């Protein structure tokens, strides 16, 4: 309660009274206003002109979201900017607190499903998670900019809950809604279909197409072309290396490309593009292989009322997507707040089962969450505009990579499927190499006979 009170008073209360110079919400609000006039929101000059007409004394960021999201913002566009921003902040704060409560429910259900006996440890985990989440840099930036991180967080929690409890329609609708708010969750639709069944995949696909159809009926099919050419293509064409961008591409770009304000270690844009593409392909390939492999090993096992593996799989996929996107702002990391506690629960159970390496990976998960949530002064001083200071701006990316790596190790472990394998299981890469990672030790001969 103290953490929630501090968040509402010190974070939301302060931001309601002090409007930043430029916010993401201003773009949403103006896009909704243009939608009311059946004007495409993807031309920057039109967005700026409408802002001046509505009394904004500054230009807004370009609107880079799906067309259906602009339709959803029309009711708020009827209000003044100050009133609409206050309503939006209240709505996002409610969604954030609901998502945190939902995460707590996921953690408790996961601990029960896995048979965690140390209930006080689960309580300590949640007691640490709530203030850490509310005071993370991603949440503070999300509130300040008026972005959609809290909305995505809530929708991903509903998606995880729906898949884990086999309420797949809810998961499908949550995934489709997330893809309507921001484009990248559409990549999770195949996962929903694979894990939730054909019906869930069909529901998610139809829901996404309904949003596209509504946009086409409102503006005409040309809005899709405008979205592709005026919003998506410029993002894909030019690297974005600003410190608040936490993607792999941005980290590599700050080292090998730079911009007018950030001095790179070496200017090699072609090397940067090739290395970024290769790293992204490897990361996605490794993630998909780990998820598919774990699913195949789990075939034939009893279906529990709550499937804790879903939480680890979804965490791994979401972390991979955030890393490989061209632009992943710090406030977008609000969407993955559930990852830390959901990865810690199976590690608690692994510790109870005596799995070697559990403490090490538990520490790495905590460090990964700390780095991804750190309040690092990435925009302060000239020291952060040249190497090695510009490289230090990658602390959030380092946190994402640590969390992703730990999720990969958990997906490799076989003790998820069979309690009898826990004694021969270890987390991490030992001296036996990759093939031995998280696998039971081979049987040995004892007194001329085979041991079980």
């Amino acid at each position: 309660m103290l953490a929630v009170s501090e968040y509402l008073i010190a974070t939301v209360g302060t931001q309601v009274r002090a409007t930043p110079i430029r916010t993401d919400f201003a773009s949403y609000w103006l896009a909704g206003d243009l939608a009311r006039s059946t004007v495409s929101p993807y031309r920057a000059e039109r967005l700026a002109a409408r802002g001046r007409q509505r009394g904004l004394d500054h230009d807004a960021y370009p609107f880079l979201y799906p067309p259906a999201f602009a339709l959803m913002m029309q009711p708020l566009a009827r209000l003044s900017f100050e009133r609409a921003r206050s309503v939006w902040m209240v709505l996002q704060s409610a969604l954030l607190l609901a998502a945190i409560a939902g995460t707590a429910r996921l953690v408790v259900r996961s601990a029960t499903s896995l048979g965690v006996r140390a209930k006080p440890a689960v309580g300590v985990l949640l007691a640490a998670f709530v203030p850490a989440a509310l005071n993370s840099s991603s949440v503070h930036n999300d509130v300040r900019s008026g972005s959609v991180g809290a909305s995505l967080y809530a929708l991903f929690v509903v998606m995880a809950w729906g898949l884990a409890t086999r309420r797949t329609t809810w998961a499908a609708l949550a995934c489709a809604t997330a893809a309507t708010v921001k484009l990248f969750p559409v990549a999770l639709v195949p996962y929903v279909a694979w894990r939730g069944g054909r019906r869930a995949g069909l529901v998610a696909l139809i829901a996404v197409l309904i949003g596209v159809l509504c946009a086409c009926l409102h503006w005409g099919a040309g809005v899709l072309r405008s979205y592709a050419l005026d919003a998506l293509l410029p993002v894909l064409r030019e690297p974005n290396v600003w410190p608040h961008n936490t993607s792999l591409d941005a980290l590599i770009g700050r080292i090998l490309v730079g911009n007018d304000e950030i001095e790179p270690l070496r200017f090699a844009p072609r090397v940067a593009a090739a290395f970024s593409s290769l790293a992204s392909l490897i990361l996605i390939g490794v993630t998909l292989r780990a998820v598919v492999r774990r699913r195949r090993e789990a075939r034939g096992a009893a279906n529990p009322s709550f499937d804790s593996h879903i939480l680890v799989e979804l965490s791994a996929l979401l972390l991979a997507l955030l890393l490989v996107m061209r632009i992943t702002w710090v406030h977008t990391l609000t969407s993955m707040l559930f990852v830390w506690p959901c990865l810690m629960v199976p590690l608690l159970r692994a510790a109870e089962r005596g799995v070697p390496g559990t403490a090490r990976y538990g520490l790495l998960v905590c460090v990964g969450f700390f780095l991804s949530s750190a309040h690092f002064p990435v925009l302060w001083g000239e020291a952060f505009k040249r190497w090695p200071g510009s490289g230090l701006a990658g602390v959030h990316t380092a946190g994402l990579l640590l969390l992703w790596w730990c999720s990969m190790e958990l997906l490799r472990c076989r003790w998820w499927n069979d309690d009898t394998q826990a004694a021969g299981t270890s987390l991490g890469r030992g001296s036996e190499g990759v093939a031995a990672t998280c696998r039971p030790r081979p049987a040995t001969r004892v007194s001329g006979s085979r041991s079980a």
Side-chain angles (χ1 to χ4, degrees):
M1 291 301 296
L2 288 175
V4 173
S5 300
E6 184 271 339
Y7 164 76
L8 293 175
I9 295 172
T11 304
V12 179
T14 300
Q15 291 298 328
V16 165
R17 293 192 298 269
T19 304
I21 296 177
R22 298 176 76 183
T23 64
D24 287 358
F25 177 72
S27 300
Y28 308 159
W29 181 71
L30 291 174
D33 194 48
L34 288 174
R36 292 177 60 207
S37 305
T38 323
V39 177
S40 172
Y42 298 112
R43 299 293 294 271
E45 63 274 11
R46 291 176 181 173
L47 208 68
R50 183 57 60 95
R52 289 189 289 270
Q53 291 176 10
R54 293 295 302 265
L56 291 183
D57 56 359
H58 55 80
D59 291 339
Y61 293 116
F63 184 72
L64 305 177
Y65 298 78
F69 182 54
L71 296 179
M72 296 167 62
M73 295 302 297
Q74 290 182 96
L76 286 179
R78 297 177 180 273
L79 306 175
S80 66
F81 177 73
E82 290 75 15
R83 179 67 60 84
R85 182 171 178 268
S86 298
V87 172
W88 179 257
M89 291 183 68
V90 170
L91 174 62
Q92 293 303 303
S93 296
L95 287 173
L96 175 64
L97 296 177
I100 288 176
T103 300
R105 182 60 177 165
L106 287 177
V107 167
V108 172
R109 288 291 301 273
S110 178
T112 302
S113 175
L114 290 175
V116 175
R117 296 188 296 271
K119 301 303 181 184
V122 178
V124 170
L125 173 63
L126 292 176
F129 165 67
V130 175
L134 292 176
N135 286 283
S136 64
S137 61
S138 57
V139 167
H140 283 198
N141 278 278
D142 196 56
V143 172
R144 183 194 62 79
S145 64
S147 194
V148 294
S151 298
L152 294 174
Y153 177 25
L155 289 167
F156 286 144
V157 168
V158 173
M159 180 179 167
W161 172 80
L163 289 174
T165 58
R166 296 197 293 277
R167 293 175 172 86
T168 55
T169 300
W170 285 98
L173 292 175
C175 182
T177 305
T180 300
V181 172
K182 202 172 178 71
L183 184 60
F184 81 89
V186 76
L188 295 173
V189 171
Y191 175 71
V192 171
W194 182 56
R195 274 307 231 149
R198 294 179 181 177
R199 182 173 179 270
L202 189 61
V203 169
L205 181 60
I206 290 175
V208 171
L209 292 177
I210 287 175
V212 174
L213 179 61
C214 289
C216 290
L217 291 175
H218 184 79
W219 281 288
V223 73
L224 300 181
R225 183 175 182 275
S226 178
Y227 177 43
L229 297 181
D230 299 326
L232 298 182
L233 192 59
V235 171
L236 296 175
R237 184 187 297 122
E238 297 294 334
N240 187 309
V241 301
W242 290 109
H244 272 83
N245 187 357
T246 65
S247 68
L248 267 179
D249 184 78
L251 176 62
I252 296 169
R254 283 191 288 271
I255 299 173
L256 296 176
V257 180
N259 60 15
D260 293 339
E261 295 190 19
I262 297 176
E263 180 182 343
L265 177 64
R266 180 179 179 182
F267 185 72
R270 292 185 179 180
V271 175
F275 187 55
S276 176
S277 299
L278 180 61
S280 297
L281 287 174
I282 291 174
L283 192 142
I284 289 294
V286 170
T287 304
L288 292 177
R289 182 177 182 272
V291 171
V292 172
R293 180 180 178 184
R294 204 228 60 83
R295 179 60 175 163
R296 288 176 177 173
E297 291 177 351
R299 286 179 179 174
N303 290 324
S305 59
F306 187 90
D307 189 352
S308 298
H309 304 89
I310 291 289
L311 306 184
V312 180
E313 292 174 6
L314 186 57
S315 296
L317 290 169
L318 179 56
L319 290 167
L321 285 175
L322 292 173
L323 283 165
V324 303
M325 287 196 304
R326 196 66 183 266
I327 298 178
T328 301
W329 299 121
V330 171
H331 50 72
T332 308
L333 301 187
T334 303
S335 63
M336 46 73 65
L337 287 176
F338 69 94
V339 168
W340 175 48
C342 288
L343 292 183
M344 286 298 296
V345 173
L347 288 170
L348 288 175
R349 185 56 179 140
E352 292 179 344
R353 289 174 170 177
V355 177
T358 303
R360 179 173 66 254
Y361 275 86
L363 178 61
L364 289 176
V365 169
C366 292
V367 171
F369 178 76
F370 171 76
L371 292 178
S372 67
S373 304
H375 290 269
F376 191 75
V378 292
L379 296 180
W380 296 356
E382 294 296 323
F384 296 103
K385 295 182 180 180
R386 58 181 180 272
W387 186 263
S390 59
L392 293 176
V395 291
H396 301 104
T397 311
L400 292 178
L401 285 169
L402 266 179
L403 289 170
W404 172 80
W405 175 257
C406 292
S407 68
M408 290 296 98
E409 292 299 326
L410 282 173
L411 288 176
R412 291 189 184 103
C413 289
R414 291 189 178 183
W415 57 263
W416 290 84
N417 306 325
D418 187 355
D419 290 350
T420 62
Q421 295 182 2
T425 300
S426 63
L427 274 165
R429 298 181 186 277
S431 58
E432 296 176 4
V434 179
T437 303
C438 286
R439 295 188 181 183
R441 293 168 185 163
T444 58
R445 291 183 178 272
V446 178
S447 300
S449 62
R450 292 186 179 179
S451 63

